[in-house]
Amino acid sequence: MNDLTPPTLSRGCRDEPILKQRGQHEVFCGLTGIIWLHRKMQDAFFLVIGSRTCAHLLQSAAGVMIFAEPRFGTAILEETDLAGLADAQVEIDRVAEELLARRPDIKQLFLVGSCPSEVIKLDLTRAAERLTEKHAPSVRVLNFSGSGIETTFTQGEDACLASMVPVLPKTDARQLMLVGALPDVVEEQAVSLLNQMGIEDVKVLPAPRADADLGVGEGTVFALTQPFLGDTHAALTRRGARHLVAPFPFGEEGTTAWLRVIADEFGVDDETFERVTAAPRARARKAIAQASEALRDKSVFFFPDSQLEIPLARFLTRECGMTAIEVGAPFIHKGIMGPELDMLEKGPRLAEGQDVDLQLARCREARPDLSVCGLGLANPLEAEGLATKWAIELVFTPVHFYEQAGDLAGLFSRPIRRAEMLKLDPSASRGANA
Amino acid sequence: MKLTVWTYEGPPHVGAMRVATGMTGLHYVLHAPQGDTYADLLFTMIERRNHRPPVTYTTFQARDLGSDTANLFKSTLENTYERFKPEAIIVGASCTAELIQDDPGGMAELIGLPIPVIPLELPSYQRKENFGADETFFQIVRTLAKPMERTKQITANLIGPTALGFRHRDDIQEVTALLSDMGISVNVVAPMTSSPSDIKRMGAAHFNVLMYPETAEQAARWMERTFDQPYTKVVPIGVGATRDFVDEVARITGVEPYLDDSRLRLPWYSASVDSTYLTGKRVFLFGDGTHVRTAARVARDEMGFEVVGMGCYNREMARDVRAAAKEYGVEALITDDYLEVERTIEALQPEMILGTQMERHIGKRLGIPCAVISAPVHVQDFPARYSPQMGIEGANVIFDTWVHPLVMGLEEHLLHMFRDDFEFNDAAGASHHGGHAPAASVAGGPAPRPADSPRDISDERNGVPLDQGNVIWLADAEKELKKIPFFVRGKARRNTEAFATERGVSEISIDTLYEAKAHYAR
């Protein structure tokens, strides 16, 4: 029980060819990230400068409107803004004032660029600087782009976090920064495991509130908890922080490898590591074993969506006994994804980008036991008899680290179990009654 | 710029998608950036459609801008034709593509596909979803439908149903049955269920049934002008409107009016003893203009509710809704600002809301029962069972749907009778609704304040005008108020306070409470 060395040194899929196709991308834009980011940052408001389409997307992707006045909204561009009759910068000021007057609880305001605001080259950086000057120190105004022409789905979170890095205060403290917006329960588990190993100074980006004492500098090392944070990675590196390259903390194996890299950095000895992780590892293995029964020897096909595809394919193939047919990702950042690709055994086709119709044709041809895809494709595939897992649930649900490893396997096994349970076609029900 | 939190309507290209997705053999090539494909999930998730909408997006990205978005559109159009071989294609731009001015219509013409290609001009920064649907359907009809000989028998086109429409699927069946009972058959139902070749033969019908003015009025007017086809003005939602509709069809066609009302149950259900508790319930209506107008009539004339407010989010219907509101003695609220609707509801304190998915959320927050009468709706409003809004069965469905969120008649009395029982849970609500929070405290609520000593309750000594906030409830009165069933308690409290304020009374005693009750008795 001492397999604590970093898993397999073979280069897995790292040097495999990647299929790149260009056609219709069936993906969300980066604005979607606002839905979970605004829950995570409790004093932040996300003001999209965009169109009715942007507002409609946020509303539709969120599914239900839980909050009377959520901490996000859209300043909808109108004809007068486009015709140059109204000065867009003045208009942004007006809307921001209106908003801040009504919501004095807001300490961070994000001006979020959209496709239309990018196309008309609306300078949101200038607007953010001007508004910051005006409202400092009570409100900090930042900007990032969540537009579909620049970001895909989870890249919105990356753009948001990257926008926060330059304004973090400088610190020389030796500290660990965990980067990525996770549900609180998961984040607390991670911090607790690290604390138990004696790593005390653990910070999280994004912090729940603007006034959290979060700084960055040359003493900072950071670990990514999400695989889609390339720009944030670059921004932190520019501030002198150093990335701890590791697989992502999905499943027992991923979590252990991720913790191991951090433990090594902080000189945690094997005994301590073993003492802290043994029990949760055992729990995770047991939970995965139970939840993945239905997944053994089943095949899986990933449509590009959340950027979690490669780590999840690694988890499903190595810990749940599945075979991956195709692993599609919106884009593949080899630096960040390297350790994951090393661990993913050769076999699946890797694809970057998308021509959805061609990919659907490959999926139909392969008839996988499970297709992981976006909401627009799920029901049509189910109607063709292909079990699906909607990818958006993977970013809304706590799935990281040991205690959620079983839940993560469960998310994939439920559609397969359902497909096996339901006796709906006429021949099956006759059989049951006979 | 207009700050928007939630929106009733999507952008106009979503309206065009509703038309395309309802049809067969038609494809929509949409010049749009990556991300706009989110709209597919409206159809596949909310409406549970088992096919992808027939829409191909160019999904251009930043790197395409300025280089070859136009070529991207061309190749997408050509590939789409090759891949799907539709009978006709509609082409257009979403909000972002509108800005880059690639002119999809012009490019499509240059390509010269061997099928009709219909360009759509949908101004994204001025108009919204319903306009998009209406305009798209109109352009399709105008391009494809040709004058032709009328069918020998009397036939009608049913126009207006689209994908993602509120109960459109079942309304089609109900209206078809109404006409069939009069010996009139259906020529084409469009856009939903039709193909471009069906559209071509719309001119053969004797008249059009305009089911939803929101999505087909332009087409109806054009066909009236071009094919001399009259169209119906009555939307048959509710008993009275269904009878009026039958009369209108009879007038148009010269056929004897006939309505088989053997399955109609609403009138008796409304007249039965249990329904006396519905009488005078104060309702607020909000939704699209057509559904609000028809629902207001049902609410007042067929359920015995009092309409205390109404409005619509689609400005196109503002005039009609204002006129209707006048008839009910209320001011119409014409707005697409969700927060304004919430404020209005909060101020009016209705006992029930008849609204959209959005008002359902408002109702949840304010603790006011809500039934859905109009789009936008969510997945639960696409039920598996047959549940039209139109015609005879529609009226039955409406009775059940509207009564469901309310506490039932006899139950209202039982709740009252047992409210002092120690096992009674004041927060329990109606017995047919699950999921209420358990009562936090023992029966009777939190301990009342110690009784104040009785003294002169008139406070004119200082000559200080009293506002409602200065009115104090004496402990006994507060206790008595708790005996009033919780679902009318809020109203009783407000009425009593208003009554006290009007009279310059600063403290509310049991007497004040009952004087107020007598004052407001209806």
Side-chain angles (χ1 to χ4, degrees), chain B residues 267-298:
Chain B
W268 165 241
Y269 271 52
S270 283
S272 66
V273 170
D274 194 80
S275 296
T276 45
Y277 80 101
L278 299 175
T279 309
K281 277 233 187 292
R282 307 168 70 251
V283 297
F284 177 82
L285 302 106
F286 199 81
D288 70 37
T290 297
H291 282 89
V292 163
R293 277 166 58 206
T294 52
R297 179 173 176 188
V298 176

Coordinates of all heavy atoms in Angstrom, one line a residue, chain B residues 267-298:
Chain B
P267 N -68.3 25.1 -16.4 CA -69.4 25.9 -15.8 C -70.0 25.2 -14.5 O -70.2 25.9 -13.5 CB -70.4 25.9 -16.9 CG -69.6 25.7 -18.2 CD -68.5 24.8 -17.8
W268 N -70.1 23.9 -14.5 CA -70.7 23.3 -13.3 C -69.7 23.3 -12.2 O -70.0 23.6 -11.0 CB -71.1 21.9 -13.6 CG -71.4 21.1 -12.4 CD1 -70.7 19.9 -12.0 CD2 -72.3 21.4 -11.3 NE1 -71.2 19.5 -10.8 CE2 -72.1 20.4 -10.3 CE3 -73.2 22.4 -11.1 CZ2 -72.9 20.4 -9.1 CZ3 -73.9 22.4 -9.9 CH2 -73.8 21.4 -8.9
Y269 N -68.4 23.1 -12.5 CA -67.4 23.2 -11.5 C -67.3 24.5 -10.8 O -67.2 24.7 -9.6 CB -66.0 22.8 -12.0 CG -65.8 21.3 -12.0 CD1 -66.7 20.4 -12.5 CD2 -64.7 20.7 -11.3 CE1 -66.5 19.0 -12.4 CE2 -64.5 19.3 -11.3 CZ -65.4 18.5 -11.8 OH -65.2 17.1 -11.7
S270 N -67.5 25.6 -11.6 CA -67.5 26.9 -11.1 C -68.7 27.2 -10.3 O -68.7 28.0 -9.3 CB -67.4 28.0 -12.2 OG -66.0 28.0 -12.7
A271 N -69.8 26.5 -10.6 CA -71.1 26.8 -10.0 C -71.3 25.9 -8.8 O -72.2 26.2 -8.0 CB -72.3 26.7 -11.0
S272 N -70.5 24.9 -8.6 CA -70.8 23.9 -7.5 C -70.4 24.6 -6.2 O -69.7 25.6 -6.2 CB -69.9 22.7 -7.7 OG -68.6 23.0 -7.7
V273 N -70.9 24.0 -5.1 CA -70.8 24.6 -3.8 C -69.3 24.9 -3.4 O -69.0 26.0 -2.9 CB -71.5 23.7 -2.7 CG1 -71.2 24.2 -1.3 CG2 -73.0 23.7 -3.0
D274 N -68.5 23.9 -3.6 CA -67.1 24.1 -3.2 C -66.5 25.3 -3.8 O -65.6 25.9 -3.1 CB -66.3 22.8 -3.6 CG -64.9 22.8 -2.9 OD1 -64.9 22.4 -1.8 OD2 -63.9 23.2 -3.5
S275 N -66.9 25.8 -4.9 CA -66.2 26.9 -5.6 C -66.7 28.3 -5.1 O -66.2 29.3 -5.6 CB -66.5 26.8 -7.1 OG -65.9 25.7 -7.6
T276 N -67.5 28.3 -4.1 CA -67.9 29.6 -3.5 C -66.6 30.3 -3.0 O -66.5 31.5 -2.9 CB -68.9 29.6 -2.4 OG1 -68.6 28.5 -1.5 CG2 -70.3 29.4 -3.0
Y277 N -65.7 29.5 -2.6 CA -64.4 30.1 -2.0 C -63.6 30.8 -3.1 O -62.7 31.6 -2.8 CB -63.6 29.0 -1.3 CG -62.8 28.2 -2.2 CD1 -61.4 28.4 -2.4 CD2 -63.4 27.1 -3.0 CE1 -60.7 27.6 -3.3 CE2 -62.6 26.4 -3.8 CZ -61.3 26.6 -4.0 OH -60.5 25.9 -4.8
L278 N -63.9 30.5 -4.4 CA -63.2 31.2 -5.4 C -63.8 32.6 -5.6 O -63.1 33.5 -6.1 CB -63.4 30.5 -6.8 CG -62.9 29.0 -6.8 CD1 -63.3 28.4 -8.2 CD2 -61.4 29.0 -6.7
T279 N -65.0 32.8 -5.2 CA -65.7 34.1 -5.5 C -64.9 35.3 -5.0 O -64.6 35.3 -3.8 CB -67.1 34.0 -4.9 OG1 -67.7 32.8 -5.3 CG2 -67.9 35.2 -5.4
G280 N -64.7 36.2 -5.8 CA -64.0 37.4 -5.4 C -62.6 37.3 -5.1 O -62.0 38.3 -4.6
K281 N -61.9 36.2 -5.3 CA -60.5 36.1 -5.1 C -59.8 37.1 -6.0 O -60.1 37.2 -7.2 CB -60.0 34.7 -5.4 CG -60.1 33.7 -4.3 CD -58.8 33.0 -4.0 CE -59.0 31.9 -3.0 NZ -59.4 32.3 -1.6
R282 N -58.9 37.8 -5.4 CA -58.3 38.9 -6.2 C -57.1 38.4 -7.0 O -56.1 37.8 -6.4 CB -57.8 40.0 -5.2 CG -58.9 40.5 -4.3 CD -58.4 41.3 -3.1 NE -57.9 42.6 -3.6 CZ -56.6 43.0 -3.6 NH1 -55.7 42.1 -3.2 NH2 -56.3 44.2 -4.0
V283 N -57.2 38.5 -8.3 CA -56.1 37.9 -9.2 C -55.4 39.0 -10.0 O -56.0 40.0 -10.4 CB -56.6 36.8 -10.1 CG1 -57.2 35.6 -9.4 CG2 -57.6 37.4 -11.1
F284 N -54.1 38.7 -10.2 CA -53.3 39.6 -11.1 C -52.9 38.8 -12.3 O -52.4 37.6 -12.1 CB -52.1 40.1 -10.3 CG -51.1 40.9 -11.1 CD1 -51.4 42.3 -11.3 CD2 -50.0 40.3 -11.7 CE1 -50.5 43.0 -12.1 CE2 -49.2 41.1 -12.5 CZ -49.4 42.5 -12.7
L285 N -53.0 39.3 -13.5 CA -52.6 38.6 -14.7 C -51.5 39.2 -15.4 O -51.5 40.5 -15.6 CB -53.8 38.5 -15.6 CG -55.1 37.9 -15.1 CD1 -56.1 39.0 -14.8 CD2 -55.7 36.9 -16.1
F286 N -50.5 38.4 -15.8 CA -49.4 38.9 -16.6 C -48.9 37.9 -17.6 O -48.8 36.7 -17.2 CB -48.3 39.4 -15.7 CG -47.4 40.4 -16.5 CD1 -47.7 41.7 -16.6 CD2 -46.2 39.9 -17.0 CE1 -46.9 42.6 -17.3 CE2 -45.4 40.8 -17.7 CZ -45.7 42.1 -17.9
G287 N -48.6 38.3 -18.8 CA -48.1 37.3 -19.8 C -48.1 37.9 -21.2 O -47.9 39.2 -21.3
D288 N -48.2 37.1 -22.2 CA -48.3 37.7 -23.5 C -49.8 38.3 -23.7 O -50.7 37.8 -23.0 CB -47.9 36.8 -24.7 CG -48.9 35.6 -24.9 OD1 -50.1 35.8 -24.7 OD2 -48.4 34.5 -25.2
G289 N -49.9 39.2 -24.5 CA -51.2 39.9 -24.6 C -52.4 39.0 -24.9 O -53.4 39.1 -24.2
T290 N -52.2 38.1 -25.8 CA -53.4 37.2 -26.1 C -53.8 36.4 -24.9 O -55.0 36.3 -24.6 CB -52.9 36.3 -27.3 OG1 -52.7 37.1 -28.4 CG2 -54.0 35.3 -27.6
H291 N -52.9 35.7 -24.3 CA -53.2 34.9 -23.1 C -53.8 35.7 -22.0 O -54.7 35.2 -21.3 CB -52.1 34.0 -22.7 CG -51.9 32.8 -23.7 ND1 -51.1 32.9 -24.8 CD2 -52.4 31.6 -23.7 CE1 -51.1 31.8 -25.4 NE2 -51.9 30.9 -24.8
V292 N -53.3 36.9 -21.8 CA -53.8 37.7 -20.7 C -55.2 38.1 -20.9 O -56.1 38.1 -20.0 CB -52.8 38.9 -20.4 CG1 -53.5 40.0 -19.6 CG2 -51.6 38.4 -19.7
R293 N -55.5 38.6 -22.1 CA -56.8 39.0 -22.4 C -57.8 37.9 -22.3 O -58.9 38.0 -21.7 CB -56.9 39.5 -23.9 CG -56.4 41.0 -24.0 CD -56.2 41.3 -25.4 NE -57.4 41.2 -26.3 CZ -57.4 40.9 -27.6 NH1 -56.2 40.8 -28.2 NH2 -58.4 40.8 -28.3
T294 N -57.5 36.7 -22.8 CA -58.5 35.6 -22.7 C -58.6 35.1 -21.3 O -59.7 34.8 -20.8 CB -58.0 34.4 -23.6 OG1 -56.6 34.1 -23.3 CG2 -58.1 34.8 -25.1
A295 N -57.5 35.1 -20.6 CA -57.5 34.6 -19.2 C -58.3 35.6 -18.3 O -59.0 35.1 -17.3 CB -56.1 34.5 -18.6
A296 N -58.2 36.9 -18.6 CA -59.0 37.8 -17.7 C -60.5 37.5 -17.8 O -61.2 37.6 -16.8 CB -58.7 39.3 -18.2
R297 N -60.9 37.2 -19.0 CA -62.4 36.9 -19.2 C -62.7 35.7 -18.4 O -63.8 35.6 -17.8 CB -62.6 36.8 -20.7 CG -64.1 36.5 -21.0 CD -64.4 36.5 -22.5 NE -65.7 36.1 -22.8 CZ -66.2 35.9 -24.0 NH1 -65.4 36.0 -25.0 NH2 -67.5 35.5 -24.2
V298 N -61.9 34.7 -18.6 CA -62.2 33.4 -17.8 C -62.2 33.7 -16.3 O -63.1 33.3 -15.6 CB -61.1 32.3 -18.1 CG1 -61.4 31.1 -17.3 CG2 -61.2 32.0 -19.6

